[in-house]
Amino acid sequence: MILAQPELKIDWTRMPTYNTIMAVAAGAGLLLVVAFGRRLLRGDSLENVDGWALAFGAIGGILTVMGLHMSLTWPLAGQGFPYHNIIFGEPSVAFGVLLLAVAFYLWKRWAMVTVASDRRKAAARIAGPVSVFVLGMGLACLAIAAASLTYTLFAAPPQEPIAGAFGHMKVLQSAFVAGLYVLVGVGAVLFPFALRARGGPLANVAGVCWGISGVVFLLFGVLNYFMHLGLIVNTM
């Protein structure tokens, strides 16, 4: 016997959701960090530094504004999952502010460092202090992953297209999100040590972790545009 799904109605005027653009921005930001770091370590030409500064600044601005609003107002608390505001909001603020800081430095100071070898030394010296915060947020991402698996925090309602078909598989959905945060967290934890070594195997591992998670975050954010629009239509 198949039971009918209860009708779900959501007052979207009281529960705005915008982790769509946040996921796309986070994915693009991770990919840009990997691409910039790879060029820096290989000593490639970075003459288009203004373009990198604009890209980091634009993405950092989106993540900072959206993440701050989510962290401070908790818009996703209305339907019984307030923890999503912490999971998505606070890491977005951290990543956004870091990207804004990188953009500002590239715009104001990078032109003073002209030799490739000096650029690597300068990057290691300048990023050294903030790497403590990157390490802390990496551990926070691992904690989010552990909480996601422990409490199975993610399950799409049946009214949401695609993901709703797997709504009864809470462990699977939670494991998917946890896996993304593990990749980001491992990369962030390795960052200070890779910075100290100025490259090497640890930098490669961190780059792979951030590259994979960046691609998945970006594509998942794109897919969320369809899924979230369908959820809104089905629950108005």
Side-chain angles (χ1 to χ4, degrees), residues 36-37 39-43 46 105 110 113-129 191 194-199:
F36 184 82
R39 284 167 171 77
L40 184 63
L41 291 174
R42 291 171 56 177
L46 289 170
Y105 178 79
W110 192 250
V113 187
T114 57
V115 182
S117 59
D118 290 341
R119 287 174 176 173
R120 289 193 294 271
K121 294 178 182 178
R125 183 181 70 254
I126 297 299
F191 176 75
L195 197 66
R196 185 180 181 88
R198 296 177 187 172

Side-chain angles (χ1 to χ4, degrees), residues 112-190:
M112 299 179 183
V113 187
T114 57
V115 182
S117 59
D118 290 341
R119 287 174 176 173
R120 289 193 294 271
K121 294 178 182 178
R125 183 181 70 254
I126 297 299
V130 79
S131 67
V132 177
F133 179 61
V134 175
L135 172 64
M137 288 307 302
L139 295 174
C141 286
L142 297 179
I144 289 173
S148 177
L149 289 174
T150 301
Y151 302 108
T152 55
L153 299 180
F154 294 92
Q159 290 80 6
E160 182 172 347
I162 302 178
F166 305 94
H168 61 289
M169 305 172 66
K170 293 183 66 175
V171 174
L172 177 63
Q173 295 195 30
S174 297
F176 171 75
V177 176
L180 285 178
Y181 277 88
V182 166
L183 287 173
V184 175
V186 169
V189 168
L190 293 178

Side-chain angles (χ1 to χ4, degrees), residues 7 29 35 37 52 60 71 77 94 100 104 106 116 119 127 152 156 167 175 187-188 196 199 201 209 212 233 236:
E7 187 179 18
W52 289 101
S71 300
L100 288 176
F104 181 78
L106 291 178
R119 287 174 176 173
T152 55
R196 185 180 181 88
C209 289
I212 294 174
V233 171
M236 288 190 304

Side-chain angles (χ1 to χ4, degrees), residues 49-50 52-54 101-111:
V49 69
D50 288 343
W52 289 101
L54 285 172
V102 172
F104 181 78
Y105 178 79
L106 291 178
W107 176 52
K108 295 291 291 185
R109 301 295 299 273
W110 192 250

